[in-house]
Amino acid sequence: MPRNSRGRMLFQMRMRPRLFIALFAAACALLGPAAAAQAGGKTQLHVRACEAGDSPKHRSATYYARMYSVNGTATMAMRFTLINKAGDGPPTVVDNPSLAQWRKSHAKVRFGYAQSVEGLEPGGVYAMQVQFRWLDAHGKVIRSVKRTSSSCRQQGSLPNLSVTHVGARAGQASGTELYDVDVTNSGRGDAQKISVDLFVDGAAADSYQLDELKAGATVTVHFTAPSCKQSIRAVVDRPDKINETNEDDNVLRSRCPPID
């Protein structure tokens, strides 16, 4: 999916346990009035990337939070708290003063922020708690919401799904084409119940669900859809239900593929 450009700020701190934090702020983007009204005060929070590597540098996660303005908003703010849910007891907070800082934006409609963490401990099950606040022109909090993301697990292996190729053949009916969409799992873990969606010239054409895709395997999904005139887009795991090592490579966009 397209991503807004982001400035990056990197720094390191000593922690208990040792944890390296990498921050980069997502640029604020404006939506039209109709989209803003529809979004209201809703928030979004998900795991964008989760890597369970062998070295501390490669045991990392990125969490992305987004919020939309409500009536009277002058400033939007969010604060991140990393928690470890491993073990039978309650989740424990990973102590780091840098994560306690409020990230603020003066965007009028939407504010997004991506928080990355590295050096996660083996065996950890890490989630991010985010507190969202809307403030008026006097700095008064007019609304506050707290949400917790899904987990990035550091034990075991995760899949990584991507659309690697889209081909086309002439359809049996006039005005249709047969599309071959290759879905690859380049991760080390298997994936189940995988949705694959096809869009032709910006319109939803068809969808399919794979029961399973083994680690390292590629499967071709076949669609019959309207003939392509301008562009095509194929998406795997569009609902973002599968935890992967990388959530940023699930979409393939291209001009109309040549008909074989």
Side-chain angles (χ1 to χ4, degrees):
M1 299 181 182
R3 306 288 181 189
N4 293 331
S5 61
R6 302 176 180 88
R8 292 176 179 253
M9 178 175 64
L10 304 179
F11 59 91
Q12 296 181 349
M13 297 189 65
R14 293 187 178 273
M15 297 183 56
R16 299 185 303 272
R18 184 176 178 85
L19 180 67
F20 298 98
I21 304 297
L23 300 179
F24 57 94
C28 301
L30 295 181
L31 300 176
Q38 183 179 8
K42 293 182 180 180
T43 60
Q44 298 176 6
L45 175 61
H46 65 266
V47 181
R48 174 174 287 180
C50 177
E51 185 174 358
D54 296 328
S55 65
K57 181 179 180 180
H58 294 104
R59 289 195 295 271
S60 63
T62 298
Y63 305 86
Y64 182 73
R66 178 182 292 172
M67 60 191 301
Y68 299 89
S69 64
V70 297
N71 290 337
T73 299
T75 302
M76 288 179 281
M78 58 180 73
R79 182 170 62 185
F80 293 81
T81 301
L82 185 66
I83 60 174
N84 190 348
K85 301 165 67 175
D88 297 329
T92 58
V93 175
V94 180
D95 185 24
N96 188 325
S98 297
L99 289 182
Q101 299 177 11
W102 285 95
R103 312 300 174 186
K104 296 183 179 181
S105 170
H106 293 282
K108 299 299 182 182
V109 177
R110 185 178 70 175
F111 173 40
Y113 198 94
Q115 172 71 66
S116 294
V117 290
E118 295 179 353
L120 302 177
E121 292 295 309
V125 182
Y126 293 95
M128 190 68 74
Q129 286 185 344
V130 178
Q131 186 172 357
F132 301 85
R133 282 184 178 178
W134 294 260
L135 300 94
D136 62 17
H138 302 288
K140 180 181 178 181
V141 177
I142 56 179
R143 185 171 178 180
S144 180
V145 175
K146 180 181 288 186
R147 293 187 60 183
T148 302
S149 72
S150 56
S151 299
C152 172
R153 296 179 177 270
Q154 290 301 305
Q155 65 266 32
S157 300
L158 293 174
N160 185 50
L161 303 171
S162 60
V163 178
T164 51
H165 180 262
V166 176
R169 295 170 288 152
Q172 295 180 350
S174 176
T176 66
E177 293 180 19
L178 301 176
Y179 298 93
D180 301 321
V181 178
D182 290 347
V183 179
T184 298
N185 180 4
S186 59
R188 298 180 180 180
D190 300 340
Q192 290 80 33
K193 297 182 179 180
I194 309 154
S195 65
V196 185
D197 293 90
L198 181 68
F199 297 81
V200 179
D201 296 330
D206 202 356
S207 62
Y208 185 81
Q209 179 172 287
L210 293 169
D211 290 333
E212 185 177 30
L213 187 58
K214 296 287 187 180
T218 297
V219 172
T220 301
V221 180
H222 306 286
F223 295 99
T224 298
S227 298
C228 181
K229 304 299 182 184
Q230 296 180 346
S231 64
I232 196 167
R233 175 165 62 102
V235 186
V236 60
D237 188 30
R238 186 166 177 253
D240 197 22
K241 293 183 177 180
I242 301 173
N243 196 13
E244 306 177 53
T245 58
N246 187 355
E247 301 285 356
D248 289 340
D249 59 355
N250 289 12
V251 182
L252 178 65
R253 292 178 175 83
S254 71
R255 294 182 178 178
C256 298
I259 299 178
D260 296 334

